[in-house]
Amino acid sequence: MSYLSSTDKYMGHMKRPTSLICGVAAMMANKFNWSCLWTRVVWAGVILLNPGMGLLLYFVLALVLPKWDANS
């Protein structure tokens, strides 16, 4: 019983567009009318090629993009 509720919580968290990890690619794709799939593929490639810089840029965008959308 607790397994189902924890799975539902996890899936609910992953579907939210405002989550920090998955939301950045979705926000960028929405902002620039890009494909969400290809945006996520590019982010995965950037993080695999240069993990430190890729993750730093990813988290900076996670903080900046919501403010950018609010000003638009």
Side-chain angles (χ1 to χ4, degrees):
M1 182 95 174
S2 65
Y3 173 74
L4 292 176
S5 64
S6 66
T7 303
D8 292 338
K9 287 180 186 178
Y10 176 74
M11 292 304 289
H13 177 70
M14 294 306 286
K15 289 180 181 179
R16 283 186 297 185
T18 58
S19 66
L20 187 63
I21 302 298
C22 298
V24 174
M27 283 189 289
M28 284 184 67
N30 189 26
K31 176 79 175 163
F32 299 110
N33 292 325
W34 295 340
S35 165
C36 194
L37 171 68
W38 288 109
T39 306
R40 287 185 174 140
V41 168
V42 168
W43 270 112
V46 168
I47 290 172
L48 287 174
L49 291 175
N50 191 350
M53 187 58 71
L55 287 173
L56 177 65
L57 183 62
Y58 200 78
F59 287 119
V60 166
L61 285 173
L63 297 172
V64 171
L65 279 175
K67 293 176 185 172
W68 190 6
D69 282 340
N71 292 334
S72 298

